[in-house]
């Protein structure tokens, strides 16, 4: 394990390697800077970023004039282009916002007008038009809006793409490195971490659920994170024939509500719940939450409840007492806090990175673009483009791409070995799942777990020349 160099002073330290922190690191890596990304967990994207609804939002329903609205709309365009550039799985399914009650129907004109002000294409639909588009809808849909630009995306590959591009362009990554304290000394931020202190001239707090705690370490108490749990149910791939669009509820004060969505992996997602809890680590699912989802799902798409459930999970969103992002700059301290980034953080991530550039420049950071900026291409783990087992050329070049290890998700030996040779190899089984989809299928690893575990142990012994400072 490489440890931080005591004498090294970074230009910028970023705390938190979720999708937002990794996006910021990726954006900063374009410039001639020494940057470090510091993460408490064993891998990138292990917190809120790994457990969301995996939707790339247009921002059609975001509150006009808010920072969130601005960054989601800009981020949508940036991430859509970046996904095409890097191979992140993305499917433009379109979304249907459905009014089931009279008061919801009354709010549709307001939502339509707001979407148009936000520059998003939306179309009014009658109840009959909804059923023509989605014949399996439950009875009682009164009217709706069609949002053609709403898309599904792979949140795992997105975070990994950002982090990989940052690392191959010179950003140091320290995992298993929770920050226990921050001192300001001689114009430097000194981060106390288990494997050694890290010093930087500028500091970015992108610690997600713990951004309020980190903010207080720097001497500020501008907000408090209220953990908001969202439980979700994943249905088997056979359910995908039931819908073509993301089925969206009319949003309420606690969030966007319960939706039903296809995924880029071929499954169908039902959720999330929305429950304020006191535990930032309370990611367990509950009988009450899952029962509520089943009840809502039966109303929206009755036939879905006849399909097999593959998995359930819960994520925690970083809500605050304000209905907007809490991004604040303290130029005198050369410090920027990125807090209150809720469920739209995936969509806004690259725009948040852009926004941070301006704030850091205003605080005095000199930005000179590198003459060479390395691009990255990510392996496809989506269902709707050819996978390695379907690609004759890849199999001819390496027969291991034709040797299937996980039959539920059609993951090959070649893909698993490639993950271990990547700049950010998986540290554990969960990391391997996020990189390849192994163990994520119908049997949840019942048949392939032993083989995959053996490959994980073998992969840990492989030496990599380009893996960066990734901690233990």
């Amino acid at each position: 394990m490489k440890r931080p160099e005591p004498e090294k002073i970074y230009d910028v330290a970023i705390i938190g390697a979720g999708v937002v922190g990794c996006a910021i690191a990726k954006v900063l890596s374009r410039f001639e800077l020494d940057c470090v990304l510091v993460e408490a967990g064993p891998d990138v994207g292990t917190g809120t970023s790994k457990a969301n609804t995996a939707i790339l939002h247009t921002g059609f329903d975001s509150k006009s004039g808010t920072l969130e609205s601005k960054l989601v709309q800009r981020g949508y365009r940036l991430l859509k282009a970046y996904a095409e550039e890097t191979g992140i799985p993305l499917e433009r399914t379109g979304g249907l916002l459905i009014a089931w009650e009279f008061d919801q129907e009354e709010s549709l004109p307001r939502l339509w007008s707001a979407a148009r002000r936000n520059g998003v294409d939306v179309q009014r639909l009658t109840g009959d038009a909804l059923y023509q588009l989605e014949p399996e809808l439950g009875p009682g849909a009164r009217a709706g809006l069609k949002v053609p630009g709403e898309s599904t995306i792979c949140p795992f590959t997105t975070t990994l793409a950002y982090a990989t591009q940052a690392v191959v362009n010179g950003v140091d990554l320290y995992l298993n490195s929770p920050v226990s304290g921050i001192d300001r000394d001689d114009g430097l931020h000194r981060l106390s971490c288990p494997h050694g202190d890290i010093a930087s001239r500028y500091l970015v707090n992108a610690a997600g659920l713990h951004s309020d705690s980190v903010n207080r370490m720097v001497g500020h108490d501008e907000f408090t994170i209220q953990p908001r749990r969202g439980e979700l149910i994943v249905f088997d791939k056979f359910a995908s024939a039931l819908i073509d669009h993301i089925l969206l509820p009319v949003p309420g004060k606690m969030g966007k509500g319960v939706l039903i969505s296809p995924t880029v992996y071929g499954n169908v997602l039902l959720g999330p719940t929305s429950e304020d809890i006191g535990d930032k680590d309370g990611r367990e699912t509950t009988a009450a939450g899952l029962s509520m989802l089943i009840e809502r799902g039966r109303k929206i798409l009755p036939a879905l409840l006849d399909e097999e459930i593959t998995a359930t999970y819960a994520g925690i969103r970083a809500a605050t007492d304000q209905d907007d992002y809490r991004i604040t700059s303290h130029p005198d301290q050369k410090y920027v806090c990125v807090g209150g980034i809720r469920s739209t953080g995936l969509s806004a991530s690259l725009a948040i990175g852009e926004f941070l550039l301006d704030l850091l420049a205003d605080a005095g950071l000199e930005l000179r673009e590198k003459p060479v900026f390395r691009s990255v291409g990510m392996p496809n783990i989506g269902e709707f483009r050819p996978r390695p087992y379907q690609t004759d050329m890849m199999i001819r070049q390496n027969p291991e791409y034709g040797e299937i290890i996980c039959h539920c998700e059609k993951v090959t030996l070649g893909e698993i070995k490639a993950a271990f040779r990547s700049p950010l190899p998986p540290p554990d089984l969960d990391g391997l799942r996020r990189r390849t989809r192994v163990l994520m299928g119908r049997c949840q690893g019942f048949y392939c777990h032993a083989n995959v575990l053996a490959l994980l142990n073998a992969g840990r012994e492989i030496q990599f020349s380009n893996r960066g400072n990734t901690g233990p």
Side-chain angles (χ1 to χ4, degrees):
M1 177 195 78
K2 289 189 177 182
R3 296 178 181 272
E5 303 171 33
E7 71 280 3
K8 183 165 186 176
I9 297 174
Y10 289 96
D11 293 308
V12 185
I14 305 152
I15 301 175
V19 69
V20 172
C22 290
I24 294 167
K26 178 260 181 194
V27 170
L28 285 172
S29 70
R30 288 171 32 214
F31 300 92
E32 293 181 346
L33 299 168
D34 280 330
C35 298
V36 60
L37 182 58
V38 184
E39 167 58 34
D43 197 4
V44 300
T46 58
T48 299
S49 302
K50 73 174 183 179
N52 53 43
T53 52
I55 293 174
L56 179 57
H57 291 291
T58 57
F60 79 95
D61 60 348
S62 55
K63 186 178 180 180
S64 297
T66 62
L67 181 59
E68 180 178 15
S69 176
K70 171 187 172 182
L71 296 180
V72 168
Q73 291 171 61
R74 174 64 175 160
Y76 169 83
R77 296 190 293 272
L78 291 173
L79 183 47
K80 183 179 173 185
Y82 187 69
E84 183 175 349
E85 172 192 331
T86 58
I88 296 169
L90 184 147
E91 298 296 325
R92 184 168 170 168
T93 60
L96 301 179
L97 185 76
I98 303 170
W100 298 92
E101 309 294 340
F102 176 74
D103 61 332
Q104 294 175 344
E105 185 177 8
E106 280 195 317
S107 70
L108 291 180
R110 174 182 56 81
L111 290 166
W112 181 88
S113 297
R116 298 300 293 265
R117 284 196 302 273
N118 289 338
V120 180
D121 177 30
V122 289
Q123 302 156 17
R124 292 186 172 108
L125 296 174
T126 64
D128 288 343
L130 285 171
Y131 286 103
Q132 288 174 6
L133 292 171
E134 293 290 354
E136 297 293 338
L137 280 178
R142 303 174 65 94
L145 299 176
K146 182 177 181 180
V147 192
E150 292 285 291
S151 305
T152 60
I153 193 168
C154 176
F156 311 138
T157 309
T158 302
T159 305
L160 281 165
Y162 294 159
T164 300
Q165 192 161 27
V167 166
V168 301
N169 284 287
V171 173
D172 285 345
L173 170 63
Y174 289 100
L175 302 171
N176 297 302
S177 297
V179 176
S180 59
I182 301 173
D183 292 324
R184 182 80 170 151
D185 179 36
D186 293 332
L188 298 177
H189 299 279
R190 299 189 183 276
L191 282 57
S192 298
C193 299
H195 311 296
D197 291 352
I198 295 171
S200 70
R201 294 167 51 233
Y202 291 79
L203 178 63
V204 175
N205 170 8
L209 288 165
H210 300 280
S211 56
D212 55 347
S213 300
V214 172
N215 201 38
R216 293 184 189 106
M217 291 180 191
V218 189
H220 302 283
D221 195 8
E222 297 153 331
F223 63 92
T224 297
I225 294 296
Q226 170 57 65
R228 184 166 293 165
R229 178 166 56 199
E231 302 175 50
L232 299 104
I233 299 175
V234 182
F235 286 85
D236 190 82
K237 296 177 191 295
F238 285 120
S240 64
L242 296 175
I243 56 169
D244 294 316
H245 302 80
I246 304 166
L247 306 182
L248 299 161
V250 175
K253 64 179 181 179
M254 290 291 284
K256 295 183 180 295
V258 174
L259 59 83
I260 297 178
S261 175
T263 73
V264 294
Y265 320 116
N267 303 93
V268 174
L269 202 61
L270 169 62
T273 60
S274 185
E275 176 191 8
D276 287 342
I277 61 174
D279 183 4
K280 292 181 179 181
D281 296 314
R283 294 184 174 87
E284 66 277 358
T285 56
T286 66
L290 298 179
S291 295
M292 187 276 278
L293 289 180
I294 289 171
E295 180 181 344
R296 290 290 299 132
R298 183 172 287 111
K299 176 179 176 61
I300 300 168
L301 198 70
L304 181 63
L305 277 302
D306 295 328
E307 302 295 334
E308 295 289 335
I309 292 174
T310 297
T312 61
Y313 65 95
I316 309 292
R317 288 159 282 179
T320 68
D321 60 351
Q322 290 190 15
D323 191 22
D324 201 356
Y325 293 167
R326 306 298 299 271
I327 301 179
T328 53
S329 177
H330 301 274
D332 57 323
Q333 290 181 294
K334 301 184 186 303
Y335 166 65
V336 180
C337 178
V338 184
I341 310 299
R342 298 163 301 162
S343 58
T344 55
L346 171 62
S347 301
S349 53
L350 284 177
I352 294 172
E354 272 191 349
F355 188 67
L356 264 286
L357 279 184
D358 292 336
L359 296 180
L360 291 169
D362 289 343
L365 181 65
E366 186 176 351
L367 298 172
R368 297 189 307 274
E369 288 205 33
K370 293 174 179 174
V372 177
F373 181 60
R374 294 177 62 185
S375 60
V376 295
M378 302 303 291
N380 172 42
I381 63 170
E383 190 76 2
F384 302 106
R385 284 184 287 133
R387 298 273 303 285
Y389 79 95
Q390 299 168 311
T391 308
D392 290 341
M393 184 179 70
M394 293 185 71
I395 296 171
R396 284 197 300 270
Q397 292 174 345
N398 181 356
E400 290 179 341
Y401 282 116
E403 186 177 341
I404 293 176
I405 300 296
C406 171
H407 286 267
C408 293
E409 294 297 316
K410 304 296 190 294
V411 182
T412 66
L413 178 60
E415 290 171 279
I416 292 173
K417 287 188 174 182
F420 286 110
R421 294 190 177 94
S422 69
L424 294 181
D428 51 28
L429 283 177
D430 282 342
L432 187 59
R433 284 159 56 100
R434 290 190 293 273
R435 287 160 176 78
T436 65
R437 278 173 49 188
V438 73
L439 307 177
M440 294 180 73
R442 185 178 304 162
C443 81
Q444 292 289 288
F446 182 82
Y447 290 102
C448 64
H449 185 273
N451 286 339
V452 172
L453 186 60
L455 289 169
L456 175 68
N457 291 331
R460 286 171 171 156
E461 299 175 3
I462 300 174
Q463 299 298 312
F464 304 100
S465 61
N466 186 31
R467 73 184 280 177
N469 300 334
T470 54

